[in-house]
């Protein structure tokens, strides 16, 4: 590899190539245009955005705005300035939770939540008397709107909803869950769209009391180091900045600027990564989200039904007739998930993710926590039917 990091050699080099099925962690490969755009920017521009007034700095600023517009377009949001950059989805969720909660308030979340929601919430409940309750999921991993409605209280300040589970792939009925929160009138909704933005058509109204956290490096096809929080109208006044520092504007003030997005973006932005993100967004807009959704659904359903047919294999979450994203997790009788993932990698060149996937509650609900979790296969835009066939053959060989 050209200056890269070589993978360890395989025990039996039976696989024709690397089959990367860890796209829920971060997508790989990215479209070629992403690598080229970053390379070009680093070589030819390299300036920081929102600071200087010379040509290259202004170009950097233009690029940052273009990336905001690309995300706003996906969200059907009118105001790109409501898209605030973060380092990853965890960072965006931390801003939303730490910036929005107040001591003693009540929060509702779901059993599908990732540790990037669970841990900030736990911080508030341990230190600031915040009460958190969790909406349970049904056997397929879905939260029922009526269940959520039953948990809301007078003093509920925030409802956090995982849009699609990074363990089961279950795609929640977001519009119905959002309607429950909207009917409450006082609570704001925080959507964890880490596994959905860029992969499923966005149907949620953006002009309401909603915050949407997403990763730029997953289905948006940007590089690692990118994330974002969309802040719905009115919420910016109630959201406190969790980082303070230089913004390139209002430098005479000792407090952060009031304007969006500067209020929440202290310090230099990761412009090279945002340039890559623009190329990822361009790919998505050109191919179209419905086509991308269909690709993920077709391949994950092929995997889901193929795995379910193998004796000794238990597939978690939704059946193929239920809404899901390109994430499929399973267990094989007699195998520890880590052992199975190690065999898939070493013997077949198939890269998966084993364990609890930073989502211990959903594994608890599905009864897989005590078994060390599961093995997760997650599909990307470049995954092929042949990859799925090879994966099924490998699991058959292991289970057999
Ligand atoms: C549902 C969910 N939320 C949040 C995150 C955190 O995303 P990031 O890796 O961008 O911090 C992940 C990552 O896998 C996730 O799957």
């Amino acid at each position: 590899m050209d200056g890269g990091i070589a993978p360890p050699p395989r025990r039996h080099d039976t696989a024709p190539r690397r089959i990367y099925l860890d796209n829920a962690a971060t997508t790989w490969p990215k479209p070629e245009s992403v690598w080229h755009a970053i390379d070009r920017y680093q070589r030819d521009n390299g300036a920081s955005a929102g600071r200087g007034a010379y040509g290259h700095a202004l170009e950097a600023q233009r690029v940052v705005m273009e990336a905001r517009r690309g995300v706003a377009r996906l969200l059907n949001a009118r105001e790109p300035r409501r898209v605030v950059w973060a380092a990853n989805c965890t960072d965006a969720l931390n801003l939303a939770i730490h910036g929005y909660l107040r001591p003693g308030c009540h929060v509702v979340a779901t059993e599908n939540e990732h540790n990037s929601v669970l841990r900030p919430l736990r911080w508030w409940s341990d230190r600031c008397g915040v009460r958190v309750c969790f909406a349970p999921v049904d056997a397929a991993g879905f939260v029922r709107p009526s269940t959520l409605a039953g948990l809301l209280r007078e003093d509920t300040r925030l409802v956090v909803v995982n849009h699609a589970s990074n363990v089961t792939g279950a795609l929640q009925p977001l519009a119905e869950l959002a309607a429950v929160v909207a009917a409450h009138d006082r609570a704001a909704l925080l959507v964890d769209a880490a596994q959905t933005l860029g992969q499923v058509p966005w149907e949620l109204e953006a002009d309401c009391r909603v915050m949407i956290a997403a990763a730029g490096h997953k289905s948006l096809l940007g590089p690692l180091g990118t994330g974002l929080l969309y802040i719905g109208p009115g919420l910016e006044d109630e959201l406190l900045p969790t980082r303070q520092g230089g913004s390139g504007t209002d430098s005479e003030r000792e407090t952060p600027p009031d304007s969006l997005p500067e209020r929440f973006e202290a310090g230099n932005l990761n412009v090279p990564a945002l340039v890559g993100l623009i190329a990822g967004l361009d790919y998505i807009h050109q191919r179209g989200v419905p086509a991308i959704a269909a690709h993920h659904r077709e391949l994950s359903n092929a995997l889901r039904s193929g795995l379910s047919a193998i004796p000794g294999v238990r597939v978690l979450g939704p059946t193929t007739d239920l809404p899901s994203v390109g994430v499929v997790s399973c267990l094989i009788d007699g195998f520890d998930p880590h052992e199975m993932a190690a065999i898939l990698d070493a013997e077949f060149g198939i890269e998966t993710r084993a364990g609890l996937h930073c989502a211990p509650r959903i594994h608890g609900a599905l009864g897989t926590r005590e078994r060390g979790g599961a093995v997760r296969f997650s599909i990307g835009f470049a995954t092929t039917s042949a990859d799925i066939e090879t994966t099924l053959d490998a699991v058959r060989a292991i289970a057999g």
Side-chain angles (χ1 to χ4, degrees):
M1 288 176 101
D2 231 15
I5 301 167
R10 282 184 205 134
R11 231 178 330 142
H12 306 296
D13 212 355
T14 49
R17 67 181 183 99
R18 172 185 186 189
I19 297 182
Y20 180 80
L21 293 178
D22 196 17
N23 289 282
T26 193
T27 46
W28 186 89
K30 313 289 180 187
E32 272 298 302
S33 53
V34 173
W35 311 135
H36 289 310
I38 298 170
D39 185 66
R40 248 191 336 267
Y41 179 80
Q42 292 282 58
R43 286 175 199 281
D44 299 343
N45 187 324
S48 65
R51 272 63 180 163
Y54 50 91
H56 283 113
L58 295 176
E59 171 61 13
Q61 178 66 358
R62 189 199 63 73
V63 153
V64 169
M65 276 311 295
E66 189 182 334
R68 280 190 228 282
R69 279 195 296 275
V71 171
R73 189 174 153 200
L74 274 183
L75 292 171
N76 305 315
R78 283 185 300 116
E79 296 181 274
R81 70 189 178 104
R82 298 195 166 280
V83 175
V84 167
W85 299 122
N88 44 45
C89 191
T90 303
D91 192 30
L93 288 163
N94 269 263
L95 166 58
I97 293 170
H98 291 307
Y100 195 74
L101 294 193
R102 300 290 183 268
C105 72
H106 181 251
V107 177
V108 179
T110 78
E111 279 185 329
N112 281 315
E113 303 314 323
H114 188 275
N115 272 339
S116 47
V117 168
L118 297 176
R119 288 177 175 171
L121 290 182
R122 179 63 191 264
W123 191 96
W124 278 86
S125 64
D126 283 352
R127 289 170 182 78
C128 305
V130 163
R131 287 143 305 134
V132 184
C133 64
F134 292 93
V137 295
D138 64 19
F142 293 95
V143 177
R144 300 218 169 103
S146 56
T147 310
L148 188 74
L151 293 172
L152 291 181
R153 299 174 9 171
E154 272 285 286
D155 61 342
T156 304
R157 182 167 171 83
L158 186 66
V159 178
V160 190
V161 169
N162 167 291
H163 192 188
S165 164
N166 64 313
V167 175
T168 64
L171 178 63
Q172 303 299 323
L174 186 59
E176 291 169 56
L177 297 172
V180 168
V181 182
H184 178 272
D185 215 30
R186 238 168 291 176
L189 173 64
L190 170 59
V191 180
D192 178 352
Q195 297 299 337
T196 51
L197 192 62
Q199 194 187 127
V200 298
W202 196 259
E203 286 166 355
L204 196 65
E205 169 62 44
D207 267 350
C208 62
R209 291 173 63 78
V210 66
M211 290 180 279
I212 301 160
H217 62 96
K218 298 186 198 271
S219 291
L220 294 182
L221 304 176
L224 280 162
T226 49
L228 63 102
L229 183 70
Y230 171 82
I231 302 168
L235 289 183
E236 67 271 24
D237 298 331
E238 295 177 62
L239 188 68
L240 301 175
T242 50
R243 283 186 290 118
Q244 282 110 27
S247 57
T249 59
D250 300 289
S251 293
E252 69 289 356
R253 290 175 52 154
E254 287 191 354
T255 53
D258 297 324
S259 56
L260 275 171
E262 295 81 9
R263 181 169 163 76
F264 301 105
E265 288 182 347
N268 263 303
L269 293 171
N270 188 354
V271 186
L274 293 177
V275 170
L277 180 62
I278 293 176
L281 288 163
D282 283 349
Y283 174 91
I284 292 167
H285 289 305
Q286 270 164 31
R287 187 163 165 190
V289 180
I292 292 172
H295 165 83
H296 285 78
R297 192 152 164 78
E298 185 188 328
L299 294 189
S300 57
N301 273 348
L303 188 57
R304 215 173 267 287
S305 51
L307 287 171
S308 304
I310 302 173
V313 174
R314 176 187 163 203
V315 178
L316 308 184
T319 43
T320 53
D321 53 329
L322 294 171
S324 63
V325 295
V327 172
V328 181
S329 295
C330 75
L331 281 169
I332 304 188
D333 281 351
F335 283 89
D336 172 86
H338 287 96
E339 184 188 5
M340 182 178 156
I343 296 171
L344 284 167
D345 180 29
E347 309 271 334
F348 300 94
I350 299 171
E351 296 174 335
T352 62
R353 170 93 185 275
L356 297 179
H357 311 103
C358 301
R361 278 186 178 261
I362 184 64
H363 277 289
L366 299 172
T368 44
R369 187 170 170 158
E370 306 312 319
R371 287 197 51 186
V375 177
R376 180 182 75 190
F377 304 88
S378 49
I379 281 148
F381 86 98
T383 309
T384 64
S385 306
D387 294 336
I388 300 301
E389 280 311 311
T390 307
T391 302
L392 287 171
D393 286 344
V395 176
R396 279 185 206 108
I398 296 170

